[in-house]
Amino acid sequence: MSDKKITEVEKTGLSRRGFLGATAVTGATLAAGAATVGTSMMSRETLAATDKSALKAHVGPAELDEYYGVWSGGQSGEVRIVGLPSMRELMRIPVFNRCSATGWGHTNESKAILGKSAHLENGDTHHPQASMTDGRYDGRYAFIQDKANTRVARIRLDVMKCDKVTTIPHVQAIHGLHLQRVPSTKLVFACGEFIAPYPNDGKLIDKLDEAEHFTMYSALDAETMEVAWQVIVDGNLDNTSTCFSGKYAVATCYNSEMAFDLAGQMRNERDWLTIFNIPRIEEEVKAGRFITLADSKVPVLDGRKKNGKNTTFTRYVPVPKNPHGAHTSPDGKYFFANGKLSPTVTVIAIDRLDDLFNDKFADEREVVVAEPELGLGPLHTTFDGRGNAYSSLFIDSQVVKWNIEDAIRHYNGEDVNYIRQKVDVHYQPGHLKASLAETRDADGKWLVVLSKFSKDRFLPTGPLRAENDQLFDISGEEMKLVHDGPAFAEPHDIVIIRRDQIQTKRVWDRDDPFFAGALAQAKADGVNLESENKVIRDGNKVRVYMTSIAPAFGLSEFSVNEGDEVTVTVTNLDQIEDLSHGFCVVNHGVSMEISPRQTSSITFIASKPGSHYYYCTWFCHALHMEMAGRMLVRPKA
Ligand code: RUQ
Ligand code: CUA
Ligand code: CA
């Protein structure tokens, strides 16, 4: 598609390395750069080294993985749990999409959690993070954003189900997400990406040039999942990260230009990294120095510079150019802003930020301690806990391993080489993440690189192809590729958690809040879910309670009238691990999971007179096929 473009680039005499430095870089030349990277061949030495590492990555049948990977599912709207190093997919958590197997988006439990956004059936997940205490995973929650419909969701790691969904007010498209790591995850931070007019009620639609546009950085209370506060910023917000003291959060801005078109957004040589001083923001909120907007009670602070003057709680550090990834080294010393349109990653010393906020520096750039040149299109960076950083180079289709302290020495004028190794990846990497790299426990064992294109690496599947999630052994001096993992649309980011840091329940607790609504309704109806099978009529509402024990439902039939609103509540009395049942009514679009000791409920209209089978969808018993019953619907008189 872009062969012509490449020729154009060549004709202008701009080398691939040079043209990104040119001010007039365009999206077309970026794409051309991407297309020039073709298949790479592995050398014989690489193959031999790979064999050894591959052996280490081998997890045999019935062996368990060492790590849980929490994978975003991109525009599939889900989150996936993947075992490492085997890269075997273990579970899918359908957070923002709909799920035929579990009934997510259809059951009453999931609809209650999805709340006012339950009618939206798509999502776009990018950045999972998991809760921490003192900078280490504590196994409570994972969090994930939804760019498509501006939401943030929480996943309970004990049952691996989403239990809260919050729509973020006033902004469009939540992209970056991170959380407080120290002393524990009390706040979750979310970047509103696109600038939008305020108020966005269409009244200014014909003179949008005059409208004030902005976006906001939002903080959610990790327990209640309510929005605690929002800060209006200059520019827009892309990715975010936090320090290891609970004090600072940062977010990249690629649109300092406040432009609405591609060329406009690339005009400036530098955009910036926005820095938030969390204690100072909380002081403002506590002192009541905030505003509220429209129909929301969320405290809003204005963090924009006014007449060149900073607020007490935000700073803008210039970094080149359309920066993307924002990251923190696991020693808590540095923030990193990945240049994207600049071949550099900017390193910022966190211990200089107090002075920055106390106006000790004449120039914000004094917090920058290194800006190594790494290659084309640096998008994200991760860490091995041994002082090395690993950056993805989207355009070069490579990962570069570099040493942070050597990059700082080089910035200070010493003649040192900070680059340790470059490896080809296949192809066009976005995020990459090393095991435990978001925490103090960064152990430098495995690196997962999420490549956006798989091209020739797998059997072709028509025009739409799998992505390629690659696993590298980084425990030695050199990165070694050990595994190609096809993945469906489209993992952006992951976190890798040691398996002992997550304790999952084997069966549901009978009083689990996940199905509290169904328990309360049963109580109000005087039904003992542990033993009773009952049909309760309440006007044209019918509530059907039944148990399930393999291989039978508690009711082999029930009767309703045409047009009734039917709620079926199934309680799985099986205590045995892994013995899930399902409940599906044929031709009614009704299906849900009922795992051991779970209660699940689903409401639908009995619109068709006649006899309709319901059956169990999860293969639970030798007589699973026989696990069925009939809903008898009497026609309207
Ligand atoms: S961010 S690579 Cu980098 Cu959402 Cu996707
Ligand atoms: Cu119960 Cu299949
Ligand atoms: Ca820009």
Side-chain angles (χ1 to χ4, degrees):
M1 100 225 163
S2 37
D3 287 358
K4 212 175 98 229
K5 296 280 163 38
I6 296 168
T7 325
E8 274 166 17
V9 170
E10 282 165 2
K11 260 195 274 181
T12 61
L14 286 169
S15 73
R16 281 184 62 216
R17 201 148 295 274
F19 76 74
L20 276 183
T23 314
V25 66
T26 67
T29 51
L30 255 185
T36 55
V37 181
T39 317
S40 78
M41 300 283 278
M42 257 196 236
S43 72
R44 211 171 294 163
E45 302 88 84
T46 318
L47 276 176
T50 295
D51 283 349
K52 260 189 238 152
S53 291
L55 220 56
K56 225 190 297 174
H58 182 73
V59 181
E63 284 177 7
L64 301 184
D65 278 298
E66 261 180 88
Y67 302 89
Y68 285 105
V70 181
W71 246 250
S72 79
Q75 62 276 38
S76 79
E78 66 191 16
V79 165
R80 297 167 195 153
I81 306 295
V82 174
L84 258 86
S86 75
M87 301 287 276
R88 297 181 294 203
E89 185 181 290
L90 305 172
M91 185 46 63
R92 294 184 170 199
I93 307 171
V95 181
F96 299 113
N97 61 358
R98 294 295 172 265
C99 179
S100 173
T102 60
W104 185 259
H106 302 289
T107 63
N108 298 335
E109 292 69 43
S110 61
K111 280 183 177 168
I113 289 162
L114 287 159
K116 65 177 182 190
S117 73
H119 64 289
L120 301 166
E121 302 193 346
N122 69 313
D124 186 9
T125 60
H126 290 219
H127 302 107
Q129 286 293 330
S131 63
M132 299 181 203
T133 297
D134 193 29
R136 304 194 149 89
Y137 290 126
D138 59 21
R140 290 181 296 145
Y141 302 119
F143 299 89
I144 187 80
Q145 47 55 247
D146 170 23
K147 178 164 170 174
N149 291 305
T150 317
R151 291 174 287 184
V152 175
R154 183 173 77 184
I155 291 162
R156 272 174 55 187
L157 289 175
D158 63 339
V159 289
M160 302 227 168
K161 297 278 185 201
C162 170
D163 80 327
K164 292 264 188 197
V165 174
T166 302
T167 300
I168 310 299
H170 309 135
V171 296
Q172 283 186 42
I174 296 297
H175 185 233
L177 177 141
H178 217 293
L179 38 72
Q180 262 180 335
R181 316 187 213 221
V182 172
S184 69
T185 301
K186 292 209 174 73
L187 293 175
V188 177
F189 303 111
C191 294
E193 182 173 347
F194 300 125
I195 53 171
Y198 187 84
N200 194 10
D201 55 9
K203 289 195 182 121
L204 289 168
I205 213 78
D206 293 318
K207 38 181 178 176
L208 275 182
D209 290 351
E210 293 164 34
E212 193 186 9
H213 283 75
F214 56 75
T215 188
M216 298 182 187
Y217 193 68
S218 303
L220 291 89
D221 181 304
E223 281 307 321
T224 64
M225 286 295 281
E226 274 163 25
V227 182
W229 45 257
Q230 297 184 291
V231 176
I232 301 173
V233 293
D234 283 315
N236 74 346
L237 294 167
D238 192 3
N239 279 294
T240 180
S241 190
T242 62
C243 68
F244 278 80
S245 73
K247 194 164 179 184
Y248 294 111
V250 295
T252 46
C253 160
Y254 61 78
N255 189 14
S256 61
E257 302 87 349
M258 301 283 280
F260 300 106
D261 62 325
L262 182 63
Q265 292 178 357
M266 294 192 296
R267 204 173 296 127
N268 295 346
E269 279 309 311
R270 281 176 179 165
D271 296 285
W272 54 63
L273 187 73
T274 307
I275 308 188
F276 300 92
N277 186 317
I278 307 300
R280 287 198 183 170
I281 289 170
E282 294 189 322
E283 260 169 51
E284 295 295 298
V285 172
K286 219 170 144 195
R289 290 190 292 268
F290 59 78
I291 54 167
T292 55
L293 298 176
D295 52 349
S296 130
K297 289 200 184 71
V298 176
V300 173
L301 304 185
D302 193 341
R304 289 174 293 185
K305 274 190 185 177
K306 288 275 150 65
N307 309 318
K309 227 176 120 16
N310 280 306
T311 67
T312 57
F313 50 87
T314 48
R315 288 293 181 279
Y316 297 89
V317 176
V319 298
K321 168 176 187 172
N322 288 34
H324 183 60
H327 302 282
T328 311
S329 53
D331 59 11
K333 284 187 181 166
Y334 307 110
F335 283 133
F336 298 75
N338 290 245
K340 194 167 77 185
L341 296 192
S342 155
T344 55
V345 169
T346 305
V347 185
I348 285 170
I350 294 174
D351 65 6
R352 294 195 186 178
L353 295 183
D354 284 356
D355 282 348
L356 177 71
F357 273 91
N358 292 328
D359 299 319
K360 296 274 167 64
F361 299 131
D363 178 354
E364 280 101 349
R365 288 275 300 176
E366 285 185 48
V367 299
V368 173
V369 293
E371 207 152 68
E373 217 172 288
L374 299 169
L376 292 187
L379 287 190
H380 290 283
T381 297
T382 190
F383 310 93
D384 63 10
R386 299 190 297 269
N388 300 306
Y390 301 73
S391 298
S392 59
L393 302 173
F394 181 82
I395 298 169
D396 279 342
S397 253
Q398 286 185 320
V399 170
V400 51
K401 174 181 176 180
W402 54 284
N403 184 273
I404 301 166
E405 293 306 324
D406 281 354
I408 293 171
R409 270 183 223 120
H410 183 270
Y411 192 73
N412 291 333
E414 280 183 52
D415 182 24
V416 283
N417 182 11
Y418 45 80
I419 305 254
R420 292 291 183 268
Q421 188 197 358
K422 285 188 176 188
V423 288
D424 290 345
V425 296
H426 312 86
Y427 302 89
Q428 268 73 47
H431 271 274
L432 74 182
K433 194 61 61 74
S435 41
L436 298 167
E438 294 289 336
T439 71
R440 291 188 201 286
D441 296 323
D443 65 4
K445 286 192 184 167
W446 301 106
L447 171 72
V448 174
V449 180
L450 303 172
S451 303
K452 305 287 189 191
F453 294 75
S454 65
K455 298 185 186 180
D456 50 3
R457 303 290 280 195
F458 307 114
L459 282 177
T461 52
L464 182 64
R465 304 284 172 85
E467 323 304 338
N468 187 7
D469 299 351
Q470 295 190 300
L471 180 72
F472 287 82
D473 176 2
I474 55 165
S475 59
E477 282 300 297
E478 287 197 356
M479 302 177 261
K480 284 159 197 156
L481 174 64
V482 295
H483 185 81
D484 271 13
F488 180 59
E490 179 179 304
H492 283 254
D493 193 9
I494 60 175
V495 289
I496 301 168
I497 304 172
R498 229 175 35 235
R499 72 176 187 210
D500 61 275
Q501 293 175 312
I502 294 179
Q503 307 296 330
T504 60
K505 287 193 195 309
R506 305 164 94 85
V507 301
W508 285 89
D509 290 339
R510 285 297 306 137
D511 57 354
D512 196 286
F514 190 76
F515 40 82
L519 297 187
Q521 185 63 58
K523 202 169 166 201
D525 285 338
V527 175
N528 180 354
L529 294 175
E530 296 295 309
S531 54
E532 283 184 289
N533 294 285
K534 234 181 190 171
V535 178
I536 289 174
R537 177 167 285 281
D538 175 3
N540 67 345
K541 292 185 164 69
V542 180
R543 291 188 285 279
V544 180
Y545 292 95
M546 65 174 94
T547 57
S548 64
I549 305 179
F553 291 113
L555 293 173
S556 57
E557 61 175 58
F558 63 85
S559 301
V560 298
N561 297 327
E562 181 186 356
D564 280 348
E565 183 195 285
V566 181
T567 299
V568 175
T569 303
V570 184
T571 298
N572 184 353
L573 298 184
D574 277 304
Q575 312 247 17
I576 300 165
E577 217 178 309
D578 199 12
L579 212 169
S580 297
H581 298 290
F583 177 85
C584 172
V585 186
V586 176
N587 294 340
H588 281 71
V590 166
S591 182
M592 63 181 176
E593 158 211 3
I594 319 108
S595 279
R597 307 295 288 147
Q598 185 175 13
T599 292
S600 302
S601 68
I602 193 161
T603 300
F604 57 97
I605 304 294
S607 53
K608 293 184 264 248
S611 164
H612 304 279
Y613 277 96
Y614 51 88
Y615 70 94
C616 173
T617 49
W618 292 77
F619 209 110
C620 55
H621 191 275
L623 292 169
H624 156 80
M625 296 307 293
E626 288 82 349
M627 188 166 174
R630 289 177 306 160
M631 174 174 74
L632 309 175
V633 183
R634 290 177 205 294
K636 270 191 187 133

